[in-house]
Structures are given as structure tokens and as C-alpha cells.
Amino acid sequence: MDKSIVFFIPAEQSKDIERLGYLLKVLIKESELLEDTEKHSLVAIKLTFGEKDNKGFLDPRLVKIIVERLKKKGAKPFLTDTNVIYPGKRTNAVDHLELASGHGFSWEALNCPLFIGDGLLGESSRELEIDKKHIKSAHIAPFIFYIEHLISLAHFTGHLLTGFGATLKNLGMGLATRKGKLQLHANIKPKVIAKNCRFCKLCIANCPTKAIVEKENFCFIQEERCLGCGECLVACKFNAIEVDYGEEVNILCEKIIEYAYAVLKGVKRKAFFNFLVHITKECDCMAKDDPLVIPDIGILASTDPVAVDKAGVDLAREKAGRDIFKELHPKSARCEIQLEYAQNIGLGSLDYELITLKS
């Protein structure tokens, strides 16, 4: 069996956007990953627009380079994401689009429409039978069934539960609808360790569904109201909140992969970009102006979502000189849980050839 091809262009300074943009153009040209885009085809560009008050998202000027290349091919690209299940600026399409525009993802700036793929309140959904180990039927954004081309632009980061987040998570979690996201998080139920709780109430303040209350001078999580979003795990400074970081996080990883399978199942043309720049401890949903945990590495691109994520993990570990993801989140799932399961269900290959491009 032939190895999957992953293209890589090194980039050492992500703050130099002009330089980074030039490198992205070289990568697009040399990889030819966008060359099979058909004229008049609808092309979804999946990314995240960031959260309020944070900086964890790709620079819109980089996204514009992808948009311009697709338009030169005569395609009809649009930027897309889905709403989240926790309250905030991404919980409905109106606020979500306003947030995106405020972060530079406006039609005027990019000459490209933005589309929230699951409707005004996350109510627009389509069920797809996949009959996998955990998910029998997935609930995904309906537009997936009508596009000819899907491009994933993922910011490579650490992650509290899954170890790392990149292409597979961008698609599996990111294109699940509200019903799908609840299905994904259903098994993640954190609990308070009373002996460690200092009743600082940070978890109460940060819980988006008000699931955490006072009980006998300790914090207590009402399981029936908990979404499994993990905000309390980040907020707690005293190791007083935990989940079963064994089977439960492994199941979450496998569910995400099954959802990625559902998203990609019927799409004819695909291209996946991982940006290994400004790599932070937390994912873009949680990271504010967080410091880098690994120096900038570069940009990866492939038509294989498993290979491009595996290459990202390998390069990040090599750059750090250790398993940086387990160091950042010792109780998170091993990166291999996502990757090996994705290969097992036919999403792609762990065996890849890295083609390093010169700038």
C-alpha cells in the first residue's frame, strides 16, 4: 500500500503574517491540492472564528489566500462553522456571525460569504446512518450533503481531553450539530473531589449552564445539567474536579472520529491544512492570549486527514523533544487514540511520506 503524501513548509515566525502568507502560497502551488477544484463548485472552508476576547484563531489574511485561489479556479467558496452548545457568542448564528466579523472574517475583508451550517440556533440538522461502535446515526450540518469540495483549516493545539486538536477534531466536533455535540459529550461528566475543593467558586462562575452549585460548603456538579464541556476543569486551580480520564476520554475521541467519518463520507474532494503556529496548551475555544508551548513549526497539507494529523503530532513532539501533549495534559487521552481509531475505520493512513518544501 502506498504511503499517504503530506506536504510541509517550515515557518518559524507566525507573527510575520506577510511571510507566513507567502509560505502558504508556496504550499498551495507546490502541493496542487486545490487544482482539481471544479468551476462553479460549492467549496466549504471549515474553520473556527475564535471566541470572544481570545486570539486563538487563524489570521483572516491567511484564509483569504485560500479563498482567492479557489475563486481563480472559478469555484464558489464559503467559510463555515456550526454553533456550540454552551452559552456565548457562538451559540446562535446572529452572534456567531457578528463575532466572526469582529475578528476580521467579514465578507468585505475576504470577498467571501460566511455560513453558519446548523441554522439560527443549531436546530438545522441531518441524520446520517454510519453504524459505528459508538455512533449509529450522526447528526451533522445539512450542507455537507450538497457540496462538492470540503477544505479544513485547522489551528493545531493541545487539548484538555483529547490531547491535541487538529483536522479530525475540526471536522468531527466542528460539523456536528447541537444534537450531535450533545451526543459526543454525553459520557463526559466531571465530578468534584470534596477534599480538594477550596470553595473558591471559580468553577461556578465559569460553568456555562449553571450546573455547579454550593452543597455543604463545597462545589457540586448537577449531572443532569452538565454538558461535559470541560470549562470547570480549566477554571479549577486546586485539582478538585476530574473526569474518568481513562475510558471516558477515549470514548470521546472515538466518537469524534466517527463524526469525522460521517462528515467526510460523501464528499468527493477534500483538502486538509494544519497550521502548526502559535501552538497553545488549550484549544481555540479556551485559549486567550496564551503563550506558545512549542516554537512555530510550519504548515501541513494533505488529502488524508489521518496522515496530516499524525504528521503534526510527530513534528510537534520532535520540536519539543518530548511528548509535549502528555506533559501539558497528563490525564488527557493519548494522541494515538484518535489516530489509530481513524485508521481502523478507514478515514486514512498513519503511514505517510513527508515532503518538505523549500521557500
Side-chain angles (χ1 to χ4, degrees):
M1 181 177 177
D2 293 337
K3 294 182 178 180
S4 293
I5 300 298
V6 179
F7 296 93
F8 170 58
I9 191 157
E12 297 180 353
Q13 181 53 268
S14 62
K15 290 184 178 180
D16 186 348
I17 293 299
E18 287 189 8
R19 174 65 177 169
L20 196 58
Y22 167 75
L23 295 175
L24 177 58
K25 289 178 181 178
V26 173
L27 177 60
I28 293 169
K29 179 181 178 181
E30 296 298 323
S31 68
E32 298 185 343
L33 291 183
L34 305 183
E35 293 308 301
D36 66 344
T37 306
E38 294 181 345
K39 191 174 183 180
H40 304 307
S41 62
L42 296 171
V43 184
I45 303 175
K46 169 61 181 80
L47 71 164
T48 59
F49 304 119
E51 276 288 0
K52 183 181 178 182
D53 300 325
N54 80 6
K55 297 181 179 180
F57 53 89
L58 295 177
D59 191 294
R61 289 169 288 183
L62 300 176
V63 179
K64 188 175 183 179
I65 291 170
I66 302 282
V67 170
E68 289 177 340
R69 183 59 190 158
L70 292 169
K71 288 204 162 191
K72 285 183 178 179
K73 298 291 293 182
K76 299 179 180 180
F78 61 94
L79 309 184
T80 191
D81 196 7
T82 58
N83 293 308
V84 298
I85 54 176
Y86 52 85
K89 294 287 287 184
R90 295 168 62 207
T91 195
N92 68 77
V94 175
D95 289 339
H96 202 158
L97 289 170
E98 183 180 56
L99 175 73
S101 181
H103 284 170
F105 297 97
S106 66
W107 194 328
E108 293 78 12
L110 300 179
N111 192 27
C112 179
L114 282 69
F115 175 68
I116 304 304
D118 58 347
L120 182 62
L121 298 171
E123 80 290 346
S124 181
S125 184
R126 185 160 169 180
E127 188 173 358
L128 177 65
E129 184 176 343
I130 56 173
D131 197 27
K132 296 301 179 187
K133 181 166 62 172
H134 306 289
I135 306 295
K136 301 307 177 184
S137 293
H139 304 276
I140 59 177
F143 75 85
I144 291 296
F145 295 87
Y146 304 103
I147 59 172
E148 291 88 2
H149 200 148
L150 175 62
I151 296 172
S152 168
L153 306 183
H155 180 210
F156 194 98
T157 67
H159 193 274
L160 177 69
L161 298 175
T162 61
F164 80 104
T167 291
L168 292 166
K169 184 174 178 293
N170 185 43
L171 298 174
M173 184 69 74
L175 287 175
T177 60
R178 180 179 296 275
K179 190 172 183 179
K181 288 182 174 70
L182 289 170
Q183 189 179 33
L184 286 166
H185 285 93
N187 62 300
I188 299 296
K189 298 298 180 184
K191 292 180 172 56
V192 175
I193 306 170
K195 66 178 181 179
N196 292 347
C197 181
R198 302 292 186 270
F199 200 49
C200 68
K201 301 184 183 180
L202 280 174
C203 59
I204 293 176
N206 283 275
C207 179
T209 59
K210 309 301 179 187
I212 309 178
V213 297
E214 177 183 355
K215 185 177 181 179
E216 299 176 354
N217 294 321
F218 296 107
C219 294
F220 176 77
I221 300 174
Q222 303 171 98
E223 186 171 313
E224 68 276 8
R225 298 190 66 179
C226 176
L227 294 177
C229 67
E231 291 282 350
C232 58
L233 294 164
V234 176
C236 182
K237 309 303 179 187
F238 303 103
N239 295 317
I241 299 178
E242 68 175 11
V243 299
D244 181 353
Y245 280 92
E247 189 62 18
E248 288 189 356
V249 291
N250 291 348
I251 290 173
L252 172 64
C253 289
E254 291 182 348
K255 284 182 175 181
I256 290 171
I257 297 306
E258 291 177 0
Y259 258 79
Y261 175 90
V263 167
L264 295 173
K265 184 177 181 182
V267 180
K268 293 187 294 184
R269 293 179 175 82
K270 306 141 192 164
F272 312 107
F273 293 79
N274 276 345
F275 290 78
L276 281 72
V277 296
H278 197 79
I279 302 171
T280 53
K281 177 180 178 180
E282 306 298 349
C283 68
D284 287 352
C285 295
M286 296 183 177
K288 303 295 183 181
D289 191 15
D290 291 10
L292 280 67
V293 294
I294 313 172
D296 290 338
I297 297 172
I299 311 171
L300 294 167
S302 180
T303 57
D304 184 329
V306 182
V308 79
D309 274 9
K310 178 63 164 62
V313 170
D314 291 345
L315 286 170
R317 285 172 172 169
E318 180 183 347
K319 189 76 169 184
R322 59 197 186 282
D323 189 348
I324 184 66
F325 305 104
K326 267 302 178 185
E327 181 180 295
L328 294 173
H329 296 295
K331 295 182 178 180
S332 68
R334 294 183 303 108
C335 298
E336 283 70 24
I337 296 297
Q338 287 187 62
L339 299 169
E340 291 172 1
Y341 189 62
Q343 178 176 256
N344 290 344
I345 67 171
L347 266 179
S349 175
L350 294 172
D351 195 12
Y352 66 91
E353 177 184 352
L354 191 70
I355 298 179
T356 301
L357 304 175
K358 295 181 180 180
S359 59

